[in-house]
Amino acid sequence: MKTDLGDLNAFVAVARAGGFREGARVSGSSASFLSEAVRRLEGQLGVRLLNRTTRSVVPTEAGKGLLERLGPALSEVESALDVVNGFRDRPAGALRLNVPVSAARLVLPAIVPPFLAAYPDIRLEVVTDESFVDVIAAGCDAGIRYDERLEQDMIAIPIGPRIQRFAIAASPDYLDRRGRPQHPRELLGHACLLGRFSSGAMTAPWEFERDGEIVRVDPTGPLIVRVGGATDLAVDAAISGTGIVCLFEDWLRPHIDSGALEPILEPWWQRFSGPFLYYPGRRLVPAPLRAFIDFVKASATA
């Protein structure tokens, strides 16, 4: 049985994206093209691969089995074809990164514009996701996360600032009304603005460190936001006087410098290592990703 490789790619794109419209956006095709390709593949195989409803597209058991086997195989095909890309004067193609919102906001703005200017034939897509994901299963080439402890088949390289701090701050109006904490434990008597990850885990307890002493407090407050997409709401609430916010210093710095927020307990702000770009080490690195890796390394030494 001779099956069109394009039809297989179409099925994988739709199955991974969970829909024809999203699959079309990711793959750069049209939804109608993907629909026809999947229908043709199902007709050739004589089995339904996707269950379609008005709200979702979900692989059948047969579709799940096919997707599980096709993913690695198509990745190897892409890697083989990418060898040809190495003979071009300039790398070309798509590069898809999976990153947390903090990296998209604080790390990539200094890297992406000059990278795309240097490599105009590369099309970069950035997907924000707060959970640690299998970048290959998510259809991405690489990811950015904090903490270099990754799976054994992953390679990690530093990207962005190597040392960062968590900062806490509140509006001057709030601090005039409620008082200015002099020790982290005093935060237990304040309205603190908290975050929750998609996994359900909270951003509390907050951790502070000074002269080797580590203090952890588990504050409460009137607002909990989803980490990533709703983080700016917590910042806006802090500026409006609702409570105290704890976040990356670089995220809060513009508001601190403008006077909208006042730093609290700055000698206690905890330092932590910067993020890492990670990618699978078990296969040939695609040319666009190799270009990005080299660019990140060169930027770090510049």
Side-chain angles (χ1 to χ4, degrees):
M1 180 186 300
K2 187 175 182 181
T3 302
D4 187 274
L5 187 60
D7 292 350
L8 294 173
N9 274 307
F11 162 70
V12 171
V14 174
R16 283 176 171 171
F20 288 93
R21 184 173 300 177
E22 180 65 12
R25 186 187 67 80
V26 172
S27 64
S29 304
S30 68
S32 60
F33 172 84
L34 293 180
S35 179
E36 178 59 31
V38 172
R39 189 177 297 111
R40 186 167 53 243
L41 180 62
E42 288 178 327
Q44 184 178 25
L45 296 177
V47 63
R48 179 179 288 275
L49 299 174
L50 299 172
N51 285 323
R52 306 159 177 83
T53 69
T54 56
R55 294 187 176 181
S56 65
V57 175
V58 180
T60 63
E61 285 303 312
K64 291 178 182 177
L66 181 60
L67 181 63
E68 183 179 346
R69 297 295 297 271
L70 273 181
L74 290 177
S75 293
E76 288 302 317
V77 171
E78 291 174 1
S79 297
L81 293 174
D82 195 65
V83 172
V84 179
N85 203 3
F87 291 91
R88 293 170 55 93
D89 292 335
R90 295 185 304 191
L95 172 60
R96 200 163 188 249
L97 301 179
N98 185 290
V99 310
V101 171
S102 57
R105 184 184 182 107
L106 305 177
V107 176
L108 291 183
I111 296 173
V112 167
F115 171 73
L116 293 179
Y119 297 97
D121 295 329
I122 292 177
R123 186 181 74 255
L124 174 64
E125 180 177 357
V126 177
V127 179
T128 56
D129 190 336
E130 295 305 313
S131 58
F132 186 81
V133 300
D134 182 336
V135 290
I136 298 302
C140 297
D141 299 291
I144 295 177
R145 289 295 182 275
Y146 288 83
D147 193 340
E148 71 279 14
R149 294 193 297 271
L150 303 171
E151 296 179 17
Q152 290 184 353
D153 61 347
M154 290 289 175
I155 297 175
I157 65 169
I159 183 172
R162 299 324 308 144
I163 297 296
Q164 294 181 278
R165 293 195 300 177
F166 283 122
I168 65 168
S171 70
D173 173 68
Y174 172 89
L175 296 173
D176 288 342
R177 287 186 286 110
R178 300 289 300 271
R180 289 166 170 78
Q182 300 302 308
H183 190 278
R185 294 191 183 90
E186 295 179 24
L187 294 172
L188 296 176
H190 283 265
C192 296
L193 310 177
L194 306 175
R196 187 189 301 275
F197 293 99
S198 58
S199 64
M202 297 290 293
T203 54
W206 292 355
E207 189 168 290
F208 302 87
E209 184 174 0
R210 182 178 184 181
D211 298 331
E213 178 186 4
I214 296 177
V215 177
R216 297 179 180 88
V217 297
D218 199 359
T220 60
L223 178 65
I224 299 174
V225 302
R226 176 61 60 89
V227 172
T231 299
D232 275 329
L233 175 59
V235 177
D236 291 340
I239 293 172
S240 298
T242 304
I244 297 174
V245 65
C246 178
L247 197 57
F248 294 90
E249 179 184 2
D250 292 340
W251 201 317
L252 297 181
R253 178 54 58 188
H255 305 296
I256 293 175
D257 291 343
S258 71
L261 291 176
E262 180 180 324
I264 303 170
L265 300 170
E266 188 166 359
W268 287 90
W269 290 0
Q270 192 174 56
R271 296 174 178 269
F272 58 94
S273 62
F276 291 81
L277 175 72
Y278 71 97
Y279 57 96
R282 62 178 180 270
R283 63 173 184 147
L284 182 68
V285 177
L289 176 57
R290 171 52 58 194
F292 187 74
I293 293 169
D294 292 342
F295 188 87
V296 168
K297 289 181 177 179
S299 299
T301 58

